[in-house]
């Protein structure tokens, strides 16, 4: 057992008292602490120098109250589909949008041009041609483009990364040689894009290469991306206005108290910007903004011993919170003991000092936390509050599998002490 297996509780008082007040049939429930989310996002923003713009990657958690709570802290939102585009526009009207993602359909491209998205992250030459075709039909439309590039990043720099998306074969972005070709298409006065060239403005480069980087690794990556982009701009004599260096700031599920070092990151970006006067940097984190401000709360239905190990079966499971199953971790949690047992039979309890927290699905993969010491003494009827469920949780889960009911959604707002619940 390492120190890290005993999870430090992160549920705020507002969340714990709200969960304690719910009826069993109201569980499981996602509970968000919106004042905590606002405070976290404001602190992230405050750590960034002036020429760094903060966008929120909506795919991490696109729930409307979450998007709205971030509005004051972020410069804009990154969307990666026509669906996200329409949804985010409705949830936070007027907010600047960056539109990315591979495989944009002609209809999505047209809708995004009509919506006047702030920045376009172009993933291929084919996408440029499609974009040009849409512009040809809309004489007044103008789009500002960043080329998404799959850069070869320095060997070793990303070895520790959970989910590397760059520097190796992927469906994302343009390889460096294709990026050169795309720049030529956009900057040369002749060629297939020439008729709309002035309305298809190359503003810079986008790169989202990795996920799970600590601040120092992230800074090293940003240095590489900006250096490469500056050389590209110099070779082709275009003005490098902006570089979007993506998201992927680390979130450590084994240590809920740990945070990405935004202060060190902001200071490092400031030094980099001193060497690039006039350049705008943009970052688009998802997970590191919202993971900490959502919880998945539920009730223990049963506790049983199987071949020497304790299992606590909870309402819900990985069809609501798939993250631990896909990432192969134990979701950190805290427990809320519920006193009183109204039944005439014995109350089952964890007696081995640890338990595996499983859900209701008929598959051995439905495990939220494996052999967790934090489950010592847990009884049927007690409540469990899973931490770090504010990102890539509900919206990436397989909700329909086994047809269990959906969880409730509770957005706590107002002064933290009151914990006023707004039902979603
Ligand atoms: C998913 C994604 C992000 C956000 O990544 P996080 O790991 O949640 O910070 C940002 N940009 C792009 C292009 C993405 O695909």
């Amino acid at each position: 057992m390492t120190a890290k297996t005993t999870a430090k509780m992160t549920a705020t008082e507002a969340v714990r008292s709200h969960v304690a007040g719910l009826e069993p049939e109201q569980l499981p429930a996602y509970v968000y602490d919106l004042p905590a989310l606002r405070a976290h996002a404001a602190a992230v923003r405050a750590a960034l120098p002036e020429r760094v713009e903060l966008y929120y990657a909506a795919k991490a958690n696109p729930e409307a109250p979450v998007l709205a709570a971030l509005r004051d802290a972020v410069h804009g939102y990154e969307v990666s589909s026509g669906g996200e585009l329409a949804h985010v526009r409705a949830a936070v009207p007027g907010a600047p949008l960056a539109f990315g993602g591979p495989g944009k359909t002609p209809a999505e491209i047209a809708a995004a041009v009509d919506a006047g998205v702030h920045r376009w992250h172009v993933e291929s030459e084919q996408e440029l041609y499609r974009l040009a075709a849409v512009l040809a039909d809309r004489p007044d439309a103008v789009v500002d483009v960043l080329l998404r590039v799959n850069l070869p990043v320095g060997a070793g720099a990303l070895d520790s990364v959970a989910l590397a998306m760059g520097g190796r074969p992927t469906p994302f972005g343009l390889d460096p040689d294709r990026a050169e070709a795309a720049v030529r298409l956009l900057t040369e006065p002749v060629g297939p894009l020439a008729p709309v060239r002035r309305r298809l403005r190359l503003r810079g480069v986008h790169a989202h290469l990795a996920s799970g980087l600590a601040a120092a690794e992230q800074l090293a990556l940003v240095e590489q991306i900006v250096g490469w982009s500056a050389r590209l701009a110099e070779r082709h004599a275009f003005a490098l206005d902006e570089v979007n260096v993506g998201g992927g700031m680390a979130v450590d599920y084994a240590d809920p108290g740990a945070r990405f070092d935004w202060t060190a990151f902001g200071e490092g970006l400031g030094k980099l910007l001193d060497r690039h006067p006039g350049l705008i940097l943009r970052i688009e984190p998802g997970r590191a903004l919202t993971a900490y401000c959502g919880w998945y709360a539920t009730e223990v239905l049963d506790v049983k011993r199987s071949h020497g190990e304790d299992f606590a079966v909870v309402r819900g499971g990985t069809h609501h919170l798939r993250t631990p199953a896909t990432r192969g971790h134990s979701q950190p949690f805290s427990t809320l003991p519920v006193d009183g047992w109204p039944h005439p039979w014995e109350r089952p309890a964890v007696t081995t000092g640890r338990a595996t927290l499983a859900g209701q699905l008929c598959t051995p993969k439905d495990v939220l936390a494996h052999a967790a010491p934090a489950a010592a003494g847990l009884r049927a009827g007690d409540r469990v509050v899973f931490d770090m469920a504010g990102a890539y949780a509900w919206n990436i889960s397989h909700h329909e599998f086994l047809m269990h009911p959906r969880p409730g959604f509770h957005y706590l707002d107002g002064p933290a002490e009151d914990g006023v619940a707004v039902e979603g």
Side-chain angles (χ1 to χ4, degrees):
M1 193 200 319
T2 69
K4 280 190 167 182
T5 55
T6 314
K8 185 172 158 238
M9 183 197 76
T10 72
T12 60
E13 190 43 46
V15 169
R16 289 175 71 82
S17 65
H18 184 76
V19 170
L22 294 175
E23 295 297 324
E25 293 303 325
Q26 290 179 290
L27 295 168
Y30 272 98
V31 183
Y32 294 95
D33 188 325
L34 297 180
L37 175 58
R38 280 191 207 97
H40 174 59
V44 169
R45 169 73 174 267
L48 299 173
E50 208 174 307
R51 276 188 286 133
V52 177
E53 292 186 359
L54 174 62
Y55 273 50
Y56 170 60
K59 82 167 189 279
N61 185 334
E63 284 160 41
V66 169
L67 296 174
L70 291 170
R71 184 67 192 95
D72 286 343
V74 300
H75 294 81
Y77 298 81
E78 189 265 349
V79 297
S80 289
S81 73
E84 283 189 351
L85 174 64
H87 171 78
V88 175
R89 281 187 89 209
V92 279
L97 303 181
F99 184 39
K104 299 180 184 81
T105 67
E108 286 177 316
I109 291 172
V113 168
D114 291 339
V117 297
H118 185 64
R119 285 296 174 273
W120 205 285
H121 299 164
V122 169
E123 301 254 353
S124 71
E125 291 152 275
Q126 149 90 350
E127 187 183 322
L128 271 184
Y129 288 120
R130 286 198 194 277
L131 192 47
V134 167
L135 288 181
D137 288 344
R138 291 163 172 75
D140 297 329
V142 175
V143 296
D144 289 296
V145 164
L146 303 185
L147 294 176
R148 179 173 183 180
V149 181
N150 180 354
L151 287 183
V153 284
L158 299 180
D159 285 353
S160 65
V161 170
L163 185 65
M165 305 172 80
R168 60 178 199 178
T170 75
F172 308 113
L174 295 136
D175 271 13
D177 64 319
R178 299 327 304 163
E180 303 271 350
V183 171
R184 283 194 295 273
L185 278 174
L186 287 165
T187 54
E188 283 173 2
V190 291
L193 300 190
V196 296
R197 193 171 65 91
R198 289 185 199 291
R199 298 189 289 121
L200 227 154
R201 302 187 296 209
L202 177 60
R203 305 296 300 267
V205 170
H206 172 260
H208 172 72
L209 298 174
S211 159
L213 296 183
E217 299 170 302
Q218 186 79 248
L219 277 171
L221 185 61
V222 172
E223 292 272 355
Q224 295 194 37
I225 296 168
V226 171
W228 185 89
S229 303
R231 290 189 295 276
L232 177 79
E234 211 176 287
R235 276 198 300 283
H236 294 273
F238 74 88
L240 184 70
D241 301 323
E242 300 169 8
V243 179
N244 182 325
V245 294
M249 291 71 182
V251 164
D252 186 352
Y253 289 89
D255 188 0
R259 291 290 183 277
F260 183 82
D261 189 345
W262 289 102
T263 305
F265 187 56
E267 283 169 8
L269 294 181
K271 286 187 191 133
L272 173 67
L273 283 170
D274 287 344
R275 287 184 272 120
H276 295 273
L279 181 69
I280 298 286
L281 278 183
R282 195 170 294 134
I283 61 172
E284 47 184 28
R287 195 186 303 271
L289 281 180
T290 50
Y292 302 104
C293 301
W295 290 265
Y296 179 64
T298 187
E299 182 198 41
V300 178
L301 288 172
D302 203 352
V303 175
K304 57 212 276 192
R305 184 81 61 86
S306 172
H307 296 272
E309 291 185 19
D310 277 329
F311 286 78
V313 181
V314 301
R315 288 178 187 262
T318 53
H319 51 305
H320 296 164
L321 177 59
R322 191 165 169 253
T323 326
T326 50
R327 292 175 66 97
H329 67 229
S330 284
Q331 196 72 19
F333 63 90
S334 60
T335 57
L336 271 178
V338 173
D339 293 331
W341 177 250
H343 309 294
W345 60 83
E346 195 183 334
R347 188 175 189 181
V350 173
T351 55
T352 59
R354 56 175 64 207
T356 291
L357 271 57
Q360 296 173 280
L361 302 184
C362 305
T363 156
K365 291 184 178 161
D366 189 20
V367 168
L368 295 163
H370 184 75
L378 197 63
R379 302 158 300 180
D382 284 338
R383 292 182 181 186
V384 176
V385 184
F386 288 95
D387 302 307
M388 305 173 80
Y392 303 104
W394 166 251
N395 69 317
I396 60 150
S397 303
H398 44 294
H399 310 146
E400 303 303 331
F401 190 45
L402 265 94
M403 302 178 73
H404 286 291
R406 294 191 166 214
F409 288 86
H410 306 257
Y411 303 94
L412 309 186
D413 209 343
E417 319 85 65
D418 300 346
V420 180
V422 182
E423 303 300 322

